[in-house]
Amino acid sequence: MRCICTSIVATLVLAGTTLADTINVPGDYATIQGAINAAQDGDVIHVQPGIYTGNGEEVVRLMGKSITLTAAGSPEATVIDGEDQRRCITCDDGEGNNTHISGFTITNGYAQDGAGIYLGWNCSPTIEACIIENNFASWGGAGIGAVGSNSVVRNCMFMNNSSSGPYGGGMRLAGVPGFIIEDCIIRDNTSSVNYGGVFVDGYFCGIVDSAICGNSGPYQIHGAEQSGMTVLLGECEMSHSGDIDGDYVVSVNDVLQLIEVWGSSGPGFHVADFDYDGDVGINDLLYLISVYGTDATPTGACCVDECWCKDGLTESECDLWNGTWWGPDTQCGWCGGKECP
């Protein structure tokens, strides 16, 4: 009797359990959206290399499902293309951090905001290892536009996205409670009015271990806090100190560390990627050799008071001025209290 009861319980438990499936595009479904429509929470959608387009307002809509949408090939080979007519990806149905988007090039999106990726209120997917480039928004957030999202965006490159509106060629993040950008390169994005890189309006956004360079406007970012190895540069040029190990001198240890990660490729940021192209290669080694032996004590913007900021000071030099040091590689913009640089 005990064995019979155990078998009945096991049958009932299995009957209530949904096993995750792997869905292949185009093997099982010809389109990414067709696969998403069929997917259940926990499923993984593998997208083979190719260019994927769509109809209507977007190419892909995640429909609030806790699924993993991932490229089977490299980002360069697996492309979600808006054809300059529609948004590439929409998350506007309550997606959480268990919704994953990974490994795509997201390009040629067109929308009022969030042309590459749009994240609606309380929609917070995890986005990793993507190239978001050449998208256009008539208002803002050509790469990503988000409202009330706490997404994590990791190991991605945002490049050559543009907005004819006022804010955020790369990203426009409004009312975000805890948005995190980590190990990303955000470069060469433009806005016709202001803030070509990242514009944050309200709440909190953290940028960690990332490179933000070459974006239009007086500042690379607005309203975000940067930490770790994050660098802010007016031009995407090799102006890194060359200090990989953080001991403030460029030595043989830095050369050995670069060789150890030789061939690492992005699309995200790596501390040995001195030209911010997503790859560690010969140009980075030649640059490191050119600055070998230099003092790499970090310098940045020092806000002395509300109307005076000095560039290129070390933290100890800033202390001598009784100023507030804004971290390595920061630059002065305007002095205005808490938003000094």
Side-chain angles (χ1 to χ4, degrees):
M1 178 65 71
R2 181 177 179 181
C3 291
I4 295 173
C5 290
T6 302
S7 298
I8 293 172
V9 170
T11 300
L12 291 173
V13 170
L14 289 173
T17 302
T18 301
L19 299 177
D21 287 332
T22 298
I23 302 172
N24 290 290
V25 177
D28 297 320
Y29 292 89
T31 66
I32 297 174
Q33 192 61 53
I36 293 172
N37 293 346
Q40 303 294 319
D41 287 349
D43 287 352
V44 177
I45 300 174
H46 280 288
V47 182
Q48 297 300 315
I51 299 175
Y52 295 87
T53 60
N55 300 305
E57 295 183 357
E58 65 269 311
V59 180
V60 173
R61 190 179 188 102
L62 273 295
M63 301 176 65
K65 298 183 178 183
S66 296
I67 58 178
T68 296
L69 178 66
T70 184
S74 68
E76 292 83 0
T78 317
V79 181
I80 297 175
D81 189 342
E83 301 180 287
D84 298 319
Q85 299 179 49
R86 58 187 58 85
R87 179 179 290 136
C88 294
I89 297 178
T90 297
C91 294
D92 199 18
D93 299 291
E95 293 83 0
N97 293 140
N98 288 329
T99 301
H100 290 260
I101 302 167
S102 176
F104 296 93
T105 289
I106 298 164
T107 189
N108 297 327
Y110 178 86
Q112 179 173 312
D113 59 348
I117 302 174
Y118 176 77
L119 308 177
W121 192 261
N122 289 330
C123 298
S124 305
T126 301
I127 302 167
E128 298 178 292
C130 289
I131 299 171
I132 298 99
E133 64 178 359
N134 298 321
N135 298 286
F136 178 81
S138 58
W139 178 248
I144 284 183
V147 180
S149 170
N150 64 346
S151 276
V152 175
V153 178
R154 182 183 296 115
N155 197 35
C156 291
M157 177 179 283
F158 294 79
M159 182 170 61
N160 295 327
N161 301 287
S162 61
S163 167
S164 60
Y167 305 116
M171 300 185 191
R172 182 177 187 265
L173 312 175
V176 289
F179 203 100
I180 299 296
I181 301 164
E182 182 178 359
D183 295 325
C184 288
I185 298 172
I186 303 167
R187 59 173 297 167
D188 303 323
N189 302 286
T190 62
S191 169
S192 62
V193 181
N194 213 339
Y195 307 114
V198 180
F199 177 81
V200 181
D201 182 10
Y203 295 93
F204 173 80
C205 171
I207 299 178
V208 183
D209 295 340
S210 297
I212 302 99
C213 61
N215 302 286
S216 69
Y219 330 111
Q220 298 297 309
I221 62 174
H222 172 81
E225 297 183 11
Q226 66 271 9
S227 62
M229 295 298 295
T230 295
V231 292
L232 305 176
L233 296 171
E235 300 294 333
C236 297
E237 58 190 9
M238 289 190 176
S239 57
H240 191 282
S241 66
D243 176 30
I244 298 174
D245 63 4
D247 66 355
Y248 299 157
V249 61
V250 183
S251 66
V252 66
N253 288 334
D254 300 299
V255 176
L256 292 174
Q257 288 200 17
L258 186 146
I259 292 172
E260 184 178 340
V261 297
W262 183 268
S264 297
S265 59
F269 172 69
H270 193 286
V271 67
D273 178 19
F274 301 129
D275 59 0
Y276 314 114
D277 67 351
D279 300 308
V280 179
I282 187 63
N283 289 335
D284 303 301
L285 177 59
L286 292 174
Y287 177 76
L288 184 59
I289 293 171
S290 75
V291 296
Y292 189 86
T294 61
D295 180 354
T297 304
T299 62
C302 177
C303 195
V304 180
D305 56 38
E306 291 189 356
C307 61
W308 186 28
C309 181
K310 290 180 65 67
D311 279 320
L313 296 187
T314 66
E315 186 171 9
S316 59
E317 289 170 338
C318 187
D319 289 340
L320 294 176
W321 287 88
N322 293 319
T324 300
W325 194 63
W326 285 80
D329 300 307
T330 53
Q331 295 176 334
C332 293
W334 61 282
C335 280
K338 293 183 179 180
E339 298 188 47
C340 173

